[in-house]
Structure formats: C-alpha cells, structure tokens
Amino acid sequence: MAAVDLAGLGLWAACGDEALRTVQGDTSGTFLRGAENWPALQRGELDRAHPLVALVGDLRSLLALNGTEHEQIRRLLRPAFTPAAVKQRRSQIEAITERLLDGMEQAGPRVDLLDYAWELTVEVFLDLFGLGAEHAATLTDITTRAFALSDPGVHEEARAYIADLLDRRSPEAEGDLISLLAAAQREGDVSRADAVDTCYLLIVAGFDTTLGALLNSAHALLTHPDQRDLVLSGRVAWAPAVEECLRRYSSVATLPIVFTTRDVELCGTELPAGAGVLLGIAAAGLDPHRWQDPEVFDVTRNPRGHLAFGHGPHLCLGAHLARLELETALSGLLTRFPHLELAGPVPPLPSFMIRRPASLPVNLGSGAVHAA
C-alpha cells in the first residue's frame, strides 16, 4: 500500500498483488465503487473540477457499480465477449493485420508502430460497436482526453456524443454493442444513464488499453532480442509470451477508484472508513512477494494469475478479445519483419492511468517474410 497525492487529492494505492486481489475480489461490501460511497465528495469537501473527481462524479459504468447492478449490465454484455464469440472474429483480425502489414511494407523502411496499433485496434473496435470509419477520430479524441485527466469537460462531451449514437440506432439493428445497449434502454432493462455510461466505459477501456498493450509488447520484444528469438524460433508459444508482456508491461498503470465503507486493515496498512483506494495494476505485476525477479522480462516463466485484466467481479470483459488481437498483431508483425528494430527515442505518454509509448518509431529491416 502507498499513500498518494494526486494533484492535491489524498488517496491510497493498492500496489501489491495481495492488496489488489483483496480489494478487487471483495464481496463483503468493505470496498465499494461509485461516487455515492465517497464521503468527502458527498459532504462537498472536494473540488468537482478536479480531474479525478470529475471522472468519478456521477459515472454509472461498470467501473462504478456494485453487486446486482453491476452484474445486470455484465450479463447483458457478456455474450459479445465469450471465447466462442471472440473466436468468430479471428479471421477478421487476421485479415486486418495482413492488410496493415502490407501497407507498412510499402510505406517503409521507417514507420511508427503507433499507426499500426491504432489502425488495428480502432478497426476492430468500430466493428464491435457497429460504427463506420468516420467515427474513428472522435473516439480517439475522447479516449485520449479522458485518460489524460486534464480536461474534465470531455466527460459531458462524450456522453452527449454517445447518447446521440444510441438515439440514432434503428430498432431493427442488431449484432453490435451500440444496438444491444439501445435495445436494452428501449426495453427498460437499463436506464439511459447506465446505457450511456456503460458505452463510454467500453470506448475508453476497450480501445487505448489494447493499443497500449500492443505497443508495450512490441517494445518489450524489440528491446529483449533473446526473448524475441525464443518466440520466433517456436521454442516459446505466442500465448504465454503475450501473458508475460501483460504482466511485466501492463498498459493499465492505475485505475480509479474504490472506497472503504469501514475502518479496515489492508496488508498491514490501516485505512479509515471513506478512504479512496486506487488500483495499481501495473505495480502488482512487479510485486516481489508474488513474482520471482519481477523486473525481469522472461517469456519462459509462467505468468498465470497476473492482474493486467483485473480480478474478481470486475475482471475485464474484453480479455479474450484483447488476447486475440495481441497474439495476432504481434506474431504477424515480427514474423513479417524479423529484422525489425527501434529507430529513435520512445517517449512515454503522459498519463497516470495509461502506460504506453506516445510513439514507437521502427525500421522494418530487410527481408520481409510472407506467409506461403
């Protein structure tokens, strides 16, 4: 546990594996989400213009709901993210990957992998939501500003934009998440606020996190050529290599926020009732009490049980889809360009929530390999 001052806001962060599991897996009501469980906010002691306060505010997404309310919305969305549903997207993701790699080969020899990661994740994302390419720039802008936590106005802009998408969706439309939520709202299964905020969360959580994981994983393999060779030679499969990338270089640094409903001891730290606790996802992957030599990136280790996708009732719904995108995009990239190498500085994205490069310039190298 660590005390945190976030732009003048006093909070705690659950940074270790045990602490994070305890908080995320709690079903006793000791750790609850939602602004209604933040006493300082309810007493009017906090500045609502503070970026984190504005984010939490009156948000009613899966990240801010508890118990039966949370499970009701998860149950509604779950069919779109089952292993069987995700498997049906494999051929689409493979085709997108091959097309983007062809474009990179023509554009080379120097490219920015940010473009590759962005185009892949946004195209999968737009299809999942039943949206056309004309929405890509708006969704990217919303996600970037939301994670930067520097523009409180983005939340109301995003809600207005999403509400319009839901209102415009035809009752006959089906097969995508916008249509699913619009139908649930019309039928009274979810409130308008819940439908809008759930869609907002899916946009923010489902786009930049996967993009970031792809960039982090590519950077990890490029800067650890011995580990890359283990995978490219077939001595280590892509699936466990991706899991090690997720453990060591989680794109989610920190997530907001749960609140204690009583005085409680958490891993030796006394927390008072009403304390705000951030979820230190990335830090948990480096916990020496959980992992041997946690700083070492080792694709031969068994990283099973990492918390990059969370834990307990709030385990990430899109984990299966993210894994498929990562395995497909990474294997395609490094198989096509086995001599890929970094081509310049890799600046970090300024964000306390997201950990990824702001850009990832590379040289494609010679001898592109095409599948037979």
Side-chain angles (χ1 to χ4, degrees):
M1 297 296 297
V4 177
D5 185 314
L6 185 61
L9 196 62
L11 303 167
W12 292 90
C15 299
D17 185 274
E18 181 184 352
L20 197 56
R21 287 182 188 278
T22 300
V23 172
Q24 291 194 300
D26 176 61
T27 57
S28 69
T30 300
F31 300 96
L32 290 180
R33 300 164 185 249
E36 69 275 12
N37 295 302
W38 197 349
L41 179 62
Q42 298 306 316
R43 293 193 297 265
E45 298 171 359
L46 302 179
D47 180 5
R48 286 188 172 270
H50 187 286
L52 182 60
V53 177
L55 175 64
V56 175
D58 57 346
L59 193 66
R60 285 190 54 80
S61 71
L62 287 171
L63 280 181
L65 297 176
N66 305 285
T68 55
E69 285 187 309
H70 172 260
E71 177 55 29
Q72 179 185 11
I73 294 181
R74 279 187 72 96
R75 191 182 307 117
L76 174 69
L77 299 173
R78 193 175 288 127
F81 296 101
T82 63
V86 169
K87 185 178 180 180
Q88 293 179 354
R89 294 186 173 275
R90 178 178 292 276
S91 60
Q92 174 209 24
I93 294 171
E94 290 174 342
I96 295 171
T97 298
E98 288 301 308
R99 173 166 47 79
L100 293 177
L101 292 174
D102 289 343
M104 286 172 58
E105 188 173 350
Q106 294 173 6
R110 178 172 170 144
V111 299
D112 188 342
L113 288 186
L114 175 63
D115 296 329
Y116 174 58
W118 181 84
E119 291 180 44
L120 173 64
T121 51
V122 79
E123 191 164 339
V124 173
F125 183 87
L126 289 171
D127 184 71
L128 186 66
F129 277 77
L131 297 173
E134 68 275 12
H135 292 276
T138 301
L139 296 176
T140 302
D141 177 65
I142 287 173
T143 302
T144 302
R145 291 162 62 200
F147 275 129
L149 282 187
S150 59
D151 182 4
V154 66
H155 309 307
E156 288 310 312
E157 288 181 37
R159 283 169 165 151
Y161 168 74
I162 292 165
D164 184 64
L165 292 178
L166 291 168
D167 289 344
R168 290 174 178 270
R169 191 51 50 104
S170 166
E172 288 73 37
E174 59 182 6
D176 63 83
L177 290 178
I178 295 286
S179 298
L180 179 69
L181 287 167
Q185 177 187 316
R186 286 193 300 269
E187 294 166 10
D189 294 331
V190 297
S191 68
R192 180 174 180 80
D194 285 356
V196 169
D197 281 359
T198 295
C199 192
Y200 185 20
L201 171 68
L202 292 172
I203 289 172
V204 173
F207 173 57
D208 209 299
T209 52
T210 304
L211 179 153
L214 177 50
L215 290 174
N216 289 350
S217 300
H219 184 256
L221 291 166
L222 289 175
T223 53
H224 297 82
D226 58 328
Q227 302 300 300
R228 176 177 58 179
D229 290 345
L230 286 171
V231 183
L232 288 177
S233 67
R235 286 174 285 172
V236 173
W238 278 103
V242 165
E243 296 304 315
E244 174 64 354
C245 290
L246 290 166
R247 178 202 70 84
R248 177 61 183 85
Y249 298 107
S250 168
S251 63
V252 180
T254 308
L255 283 179
I257 185 173
V258 299
F259 306 99
T260 55
T261 59
R262 61 179 178 83
D263 295 348
V264 61
E265 180 184 324
L266 182 59
C267 295
T269 299
E270 296 291 340
L271 300 178
V277 181
L278 301 172
L279 306 177
I281 304 295
L286 300 175
D287 184 353
H289 299 291
R290 173 64 177 85
W291 307 101
Q292 183 176 359
D293 300 322
E295 296 279 350
V296 175
F297 177 60
D298 178 7
V299 297
T300 67
R301 83 162 76 225
N302 179 6
R304 183 177 180 181
H306 67 75
L307 299 176
F309 290 118
H311 173 69
H314 290 264
L315 183 71
C316 176
L317 271 172
H320 295 301
L321 180 59
R323 286 183 167 108
L324 175 59
E325 289 185 62
L326 292 172
E327 289 181 33
T328 304
L330 286 169
S331 62
L333 174 69
L334 293 173
T335 300
R336 174 77 72 96
F337 304 112
H339 303 294
L340 193 73
E341 61 182 7
L342 292 177
V346 181
L349 184 76
S351 171
F352 97 93
M353 292 174 64
I354 286 292
R355 180 177 65 165
R356 69 164 175 86
S359 64
L360 188 55
V362 297
N363 286 319
L364 299 180
S366 59
V369 178
H370 295 263

